[in-house]
Amino acid sequence: QVHLVESGGGSVAPGASLTLSCAATGFTTAHDCIGWFRQPAGKEREGVAALYTGGRNTYYGDSKKGRFAISHDRVPDYQGGAKHMVYLQVDSLNPEDTGVYYCAAVAPQSACQSIDGSRFEAWGQGILVNVSS
């Protein structure tokens, strides 16, 4: 069973940068889609970025490329398996970036490329990012 845990959120000042981390375990294949989503208070969830763990392609939501960067590391564990670490770096944070950020995984190719959250099967618990002065 895929398990996702986000970390790295908190309160930051406008203009700062922040890197969120997603620790993902339980995959049975070497080519899986993992994405980042966010939901500002009172607004709909939106796709931010996604990638495939076995490839080099990255995908970004509308108006997200530029300030957002998604990346991936595969970290071997002592039991002979591995976990995936997926990072989301956000630069030049502004108050509109405030919200709960979610890591999600297991999606068909078309949903990964379009970052369609309705078709992602596994979700983390989310982590709050608050941008304020």
Side-chain angles (χ1 to χ4, degrees):
Q1 184 175 0
V2 173
H3 186 57
L4 305 163
V5 179
E6 302 95 339
S7 61
S11 294
V12 293
S17 296
L18 185 72
T19 298
L20 302 176
S21 300
C22 172
T25 57
F27 293 99
T28 58
T29 68
H31 190 72
D32 299 283
C33 177
I34 302 177
W36 281 98
F37 298 79
R38 69 180 185 181
Q39 186 166 20
K43 297 184 179 180
E44 293 186 356
R45 183 183 62 202
E46 61 175 346
V48 177
L51 53 69
Y52 275 103
T53 57
R56 297 184 178 181
N57 290 341
T58 55
Y59 310 101
Y60 292 91
D62 294 342
S63 303
K64 298 298 185 291
K65 199 166 187 177
R67 291 198 303 121
F68 297 81
I70 189 171
S71 60
H72 164 253
D73 282 328
R74 183 177 180 272
V75 181
D77 63 33
Y78 68 96
Q79 295 176 317
K83 68 178 177 182
H84 297 285
M85 294 298 301
V86 179
Y87 307 100
L88 180 71
Q89 179 176 332
V90 188
D91 296 325
S92 301
L93 283 156
N94 60 68
E96 288 70 39
D97 294 316
T98 294
V100 179
Y101 285 69
Y102 297 91
C103 179
V106 189
Q109 182 175 354
S110 59
C112 191
Q113 294 175 341
S114 63
I115 324 176
D116 180 357
S118 67
R119 299 172 68 190
F120 279 69
E121 297 181 14
W123 290 81
Q125 79 285 356
I127 194 163
L128 178 64
V129 173
N130 181 36
V131 184
S132 68
S133 54

